[in-house]
Amino acid sequence: MKAILVSAPGGPENLTFGNYPDPSPAPYEIVVKVAATALNRADTLQRQGKYPPPAGASPVLGLEMSGEVVAKGNKVTKWQAGNRVFGLLSGGGYAEYAVIHEDMAMPIPENLSYAEATAIPEVFLTAYQAIFWLGKLKKNETILIHAGASGVGTAAIQLAKQLDAKIIVTASAKKHAICTELGAALAIDYQKDDFKEKVLEFTANRGVNLIIDFIGGPYLEKNINCLQTDAALIILATLGGGKAEHIHMRKWLMKRLNIMGSTLRSRSLEYQIALTEAFSTFALPLFQHQTLKPIIDSILSWKDVRKAHRYMENNGNTGKIILMVD
């Protein structure tokens, strides 16, 4: 089959088309003819040699896909050839065919296209895990979402809205409109304003119940100052750097803060299946009724993968960048 391969660790110019062995399904796996895949930051890091795939995962990039079932393992009971499915992968999405465990695949709602379905798995499962499983946000509480216009950010806004949460986001000024349209009560321009001051002003100095952060070290002290007692900080990436200085741990202790880091790709298959099933039950009816919606920045041919990677690395996108496998 054709696949997008990394000729050597480096820039987007090292992404090339080549031949790769057709996937063969294990007993509980299905083979999907990929219609679309999508970009994630993990793809750009893996391309640079900074994020190796987990043991046993395909070395081909691509953490999500949608398409049509074309074959199945001998113990698969949930799917038949011709079924439209989408789901999260540990790798292998940038290819004509991909394999996925039958319990990780989800049925595509009838009202969604392949491109729209592909925009869901990585960002919505990550946001669902952070808000519901890890952060345990409750109805009417307050949440701060950094990088609010990113893929995970736009998903997190929509999911928090289902809890009638008061939603604060940080984003560049040109991306505020999409955040407020989706449900943010306050959008802060991180390039111009001190988000700590704006958050405390908005909350009358009470702070927030949950923060979802992708920046890491440079934001840690301000994040701690923005949290209420017994609040939580979920760190999903360290795009700004992995080191933090001058942290006053007494405030951390006195506020009884729950600060945790989380990744999804390295979780066990059992954990990912349980998360997928919980998310499917909660969210698929909401996508069917358009209460939730995938946010797509652009749809490109997979032949334009280099252009897509450069675009993401320049922080040009609001929402997902989709690659159609044509």
Side-chain angles (χ1 to χ4, degrees):
M1 67 176 180
K2 293 293 185 183
I4 297 170
L5 306 175
V6 180
S7 60
E13 65 277 5
N14 290 355
L15 296 170
T16 61
F17 277 88
N19 294 315
Y20 195 80
D22 290 355
S24 178
Y28 291 99
E29 291 180 333
I30 56 175
V31 179
V32 178
K33 187 178 189 305
V34 178
T37 186
L39 268 67
N40 290 283
R41 288 284 177 181
D43 298 332
T44 65
L45 293 173
Q46 184 175 329
R47 187 205 70 226
Q48 296 172 54
K50 298 177 180 178
Y51 188 19
S58 171
V60 175
L61 303 181
L63 301 182
E64 57 199 329
M65 61 81 211
S66 67
E68 181 179 306
V69 178
V70 293
K72 62 181 183 176
N74 59 17
K75 293 187 177 180
V76 170
T77 59
K78 294 179 66 173
W79 306 104
Q80 300 297 328
N83 289 158
R84 294 199 321 149
V85 299
F86 70 114
L88 186 70
L89 304 169
S90 58
Y94 287 20
E96 289 184 301
Y97 297 93
V99 292
I100 185 171
H101 191 283
E102 65 170 341
D103 294 330
M104 288 292 293
M106 295 176 280
I108 298 178
E110 293 179 0
N111 60 311
L112 296 186
S113 66
Y114 283 126
E116 290 168 327
T118 306
I120 295 172
E122 176 70 20
V123 296
F124 272 93
L125 282 166
T126 298
Y128 182 88
Q129 175 193 227
I131 292 173
F132 290 89
W133 281 27
L134 304 179
K136 296 180 172 59
L137 188 69
K138 298 181 178 62
K139 203 167 183 66
N140 297 313
E141 288 188 333
T142 305
I143 182 173
L144 169 61
I145 303 167
H146 290 300
S150 67
V152 178
T154 54
I157 293 170
Q158 295 183 71
L159 292 172
K161 187 178 179 181
Q162 304 311 305
L163 295 170
D164 297 319
K166 299 177 185 68
I167 303 166
I168 306 169
V169 302
T170 61
S172 59
K174 65 182 180 180
K175 298 181 180 181
H176 284 186
I178 183 66
C179 296
T180 53
E181 176 187 327
L182 291 174
L186 174 66
I188 301 168
D189 183 356
Y190 71 90
Q191 297 173 324
K192 184 181 73 172
D193 296 320
D194 184 326
F195 74 80
K196 182 195 76 171
E197 292 180 0
K198 292 292 184 180
V199 167
L200 293 179
E201 177 185 346
F202 181 81
T203 62
N205 287 317
R206 288 190 298 272
V208 303
N209 303 97
L210 175 62
I211 297 176
I212 298 177
D213 179 47
F214 309 88
I215 309 304
Y219 277 15
L220 183 56
E221 185 174 14
K222 288 185 178 182
N223 280 337
I224 289 173
N225 287 326
C226 287
L227 291 167
Q228 295 183 20
T229 299
D230 294 319
L233 166 62
I234 312 299
I235 301 172
L236 298 177
T238 56
L239 297 176
K243 294 183 179 180
E245 298 180 357
H246 311 301
I247 300 302
H248 300 287
M249 294 194 67
R250 183 169 294 176
K251 186 172 292 186
W252 185 338
L253 293 171
M254 296 302 292
K255 286 187 175 185
R256 301 189 297 269
L257 301 180
N258 187 5
I259 299 178
M260 69 185 85
S262 179
T263 60
L264 184 52
R265 189 182 190 187
S266 60
R267 298 275 191 179
S268 69
L269 177 61
E270 292 75 19
Y271 180 98
Q272 293 189 27
I273 287 173
L275 179 65
T276 298
E277 290 176 343
F279 171 76
S280 298
T281 300
F282 174 85
L284 291 190
L286 299 177
F287 282 108
Q288 184 72 50
H289 295 102
Q290 300 182 333
T291 304
L292 295 177
K293 61 179 181 179
I295 305 301
I296 295 176
D297 177 275
S298 48
I299 301 174
L300 304 172
S301 166
W302 71 334
K303 297 181 179 69
D304 294 320
V305 63
R306 294 177 180 176
K307 174 183 175 182
H309 272 238
R310 291 188 184 101
Y311 182 47
M312 171 169 275
E313 289 179 317
N314 288 329
N315 295 317
N317 59 300
T318 299
K320 296 292 291 189
I321 303 170
I322 305 298
L323 298 177
M324 302 304 296
V325 180
D326 49 18

